[in-house]
Amino acid sequence: MQLRIFKDYPALSDAVASEIVELAKSNPEAVFCFASGDTPRMAFTMLAAKAREEQVSFDRCTFIGLDEWVGIPPENEGSCHSFLHTTVFKSLHISPNKIHLFNAMSNELFKQCETMDKLIRDIGGIDLMVVGIGMNGHIGFNEPGIPFDKYSHVANLDETTQSVGQKYFKQNSSLKQGITVGLQHLMEAREVILMANGAKKAPIIKKAVEGEVNNDVPASIMQLHEQGWVMVDEEAASLLED
Ligand code: GLP
């Protein structure tokens, strides 16, 4: 794992957008797995502008959605589905057959997990994951206590995730479960960027980066990834040593 600290959120976002563009240039068939949430929002907005300016095509790339709230329909603006469509897929003109998201409305969620695992296997793995970190140290919906060797699964969400998650929704929503790509996928991804910004993420970033590696803080798995980049702004880095 390597740590990169940026002056502020725009500088962090610009760097992440550039990494994505550079990968698409060097590998036009790259497989991306993107988180939703507030953290990557600016990077994805910048990505669309950079792709246009540099005339980089993402047509042959594949996009996998990291996670979704179980029972939240895709048209709900708070869904991960809606976020990724609005911030990434529309602006990059990605064709639907290149987009793979969990159907969190399915009655057979375990089949959704099987399908996602098979897809990732058949496509040859993920080239770049861009993820955030939850206030409890989760990545996607890999909640505290989750074994590091799990692939896609359905998670019961802890109280922090249920209450923090309300910020994405206009109306109070029932957020009991999530469906997510697993930490074993993260370890097998060729490159992972974990982004965090703002002072509120400083305590959990400190635990993830400098604490013991264990599943009480799922994001501490980043310390084990040889091509893992923890990219943060100065505020999120403010509690780190030196
Ligand atoms: C959410 C999502 C994650 C996201 C994380 C941080 O609950 N499940 O995929 O990365 O929490 O969210 P934010 O970027 O809004 O802080």
Side-chain angles (χ1 to χ4, degrees), residues 16-136:
V16 172
S18 295
E19 291 290 334
I20 297 168
V21 167
E22 289 311 312
L23 179 55
K25 278 186 195 165
S26 64
N27 177 5
E29 295 189 352
V31 178
F32 295 99
C33 176
F34 286 168
S36 46
D38 291 335
T39 312
R41 189 182 294 276
M42 189 185 282
F44 292 158
T45 306
M46 288 175 165
L47 170 64
K50 272 185 203 291
R52 250 193 329 271
E53 278 161 26
E54 301 185 33
Q55 297 189 330
V56 180
S57 167
F58 283 81
D59 288 359
R60 288 155 60 206
C61 295
T62 299
F63 293 83
I64 291 165
L66 177 68
D67 56 4
E68 187 57 279
W69 305 98
V70 169
I72 299 293
E75 57 277 10
N76 184 317
E77 283 175 24
S79 69
C80 302
H81 211 284
S82 169
F83 173 90
L84 288 173
H85 272 282
T86 313
T87 59
V88 182
F89 306 145
K90 265 191 206 154
S91 44
L92 293 181
H93 309 290
I94 307 302
S95 88
N97 66 337
K98 293 289 190 186
I99 299 171
H100 302 276
L101 305 174
F102 289 112
N103 172 8
M105 299 301 287
S106 166
N107 290 327
E108 295 183 307
L109 291 171
F110 75 97
K111 277 204 182 153
Q112 289 289 309
C113 296
E114 274 179 12
T115 305
M116 185 61 87
D117 291 350
K118 182 173 183 327
L119 172 97
I120 294 173
R121 215 172 35 243
D122 291 352
I123 209 164
I126 297 166
D127 291 301
L128 173 62
M129 286 179 83
V130 178
V131 302
I133 181 169
M135 296 298 286
N136 62 357

Side-chain angles (χ1 to χ4, degrees), residues 4-15 42 46 195-198 231-236:
R4 290 175 70 187
I5 301 173
F6 298 85
K7 190 174 172 311
D8 53 22
Y9 180 52
L12 163 66
S13 302
D14 186 70
M42 189 185 282
M46 288 175 165
M195 305 177 69
N197 68 289
M231 295 173 64
V232 294
D233 69 357
E234 284 182 359
E235 287 185 3

